[in-house]
């Protein structure tokens, strides 16, 4: 099997994933998954598509993550892994789509408007 690449985005995070057959190593920005995401919850989020398809120890994953915070990065990585798995086996698409792993979460921070302290918040009204 050749190297398969995919891209995932969330908020301002971008994840580029390179998937090859291997032993299940996940390397992010040249650092192991456990060191890059010390939180067990974020590690779980990244591994969700692999666990769903029971292919956890089957593929080696190299990822380049850029931008955003750790939550956005982990969710961008999950989307990229799911997209790469669909490129390998198109039959898995329905399973991943039903769980929502192939849906790009487009929610992002709303811009600040002029004349207001935040995007929607208004300054306190003063009658006198």
């Amino acid at each position: 099997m050749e190297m398969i690449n995919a891209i995932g985005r969330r908020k301002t995070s971008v994840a580029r994933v390179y998937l090859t057959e291997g032993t299940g190593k996940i390397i992010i920005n040249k650092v192991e998954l456990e060191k890059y995401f010390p939180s067990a919850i974020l590690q779980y989020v990244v591994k969700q598509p692999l666990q769903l398809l029971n292919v956890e120890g089957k593929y080696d994953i190299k990822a380049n993550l850029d931008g955003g915070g750790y939550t956005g990065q982990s969710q961008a990585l999950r989307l990229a892994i799911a997209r790469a798995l669909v490129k390998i086996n198109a039959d898995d698409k329905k399973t991943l789509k039903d769980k929502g792993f192939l849906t790009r979460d487009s929610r992002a921070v709303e811009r600040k408007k002029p004349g207001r302290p935040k995007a929607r918040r208004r300054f306190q009204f003063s009658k006198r």
Side-chain angles (χ1 to χ4, degrees), residues 6-119:
I7 195 164
R9 293 187 183 94
R10 171 76 173 99
K11 292 186 176 183
T12 57
S13 302
V14 180
R16 284 179 275 291
V17 162
Y18 304 93
L19 208 110
T20 55
E21 270 187 43
T23 57
K25 275 189 175 179
I26 301 175
I27 307 292
I28 304 163
N29 294 348
K30 298 179 183 174
V31 179
E32 288 184 21
L33 173 70
E34 289 74 23
K35 284 202 174 81
Y36 196 87
F37 291 123
S39 166
I41 294 164
L42 297 177
Q43 291 175 27
Y44 172 74
V45 167
V46 169
K47 292 178 182 175
Q48 274 180 315
L50 300 167
Q51 289 170 345
L52 181 68
L53 301 175
N54 296 320
V55 292
E56 223 173 330
K58 207 173 173 187
Y59 300 111
D60 282 346
I61 298 169
K62 272 188 180 175
N64 294 327
L65 281 175
D66 187 48
Y70 50 83
T71 302
Q73 286 188 347
S74 66
Q75 292 172 4
L77 185 55
R78 177 177 68 183
L79 175 61
I81 290 170
R83 285 179 172 173
L85 290 170
V86 167
K87 282 185 181 179
I88 291 170
N89 186 2
D91 299 336
D92 297 332
K93 186 173 182 175
K94 184 175 177 3
T95 313
L96 290 166
K97 196 167 178 74
D98 289 345
K99 285 285 182 181
F101 296 151
L102 291 176
T103 307
R104 202 287 202 199
D105 192 347
S106 61
R107 293 176 297 168
V109 177
E110 192 174 334
R111 79 176 193 89
K112 185 195 169 299
K113 313 300 186 307
R116 298 203 180 157
K118 292 167 78 177

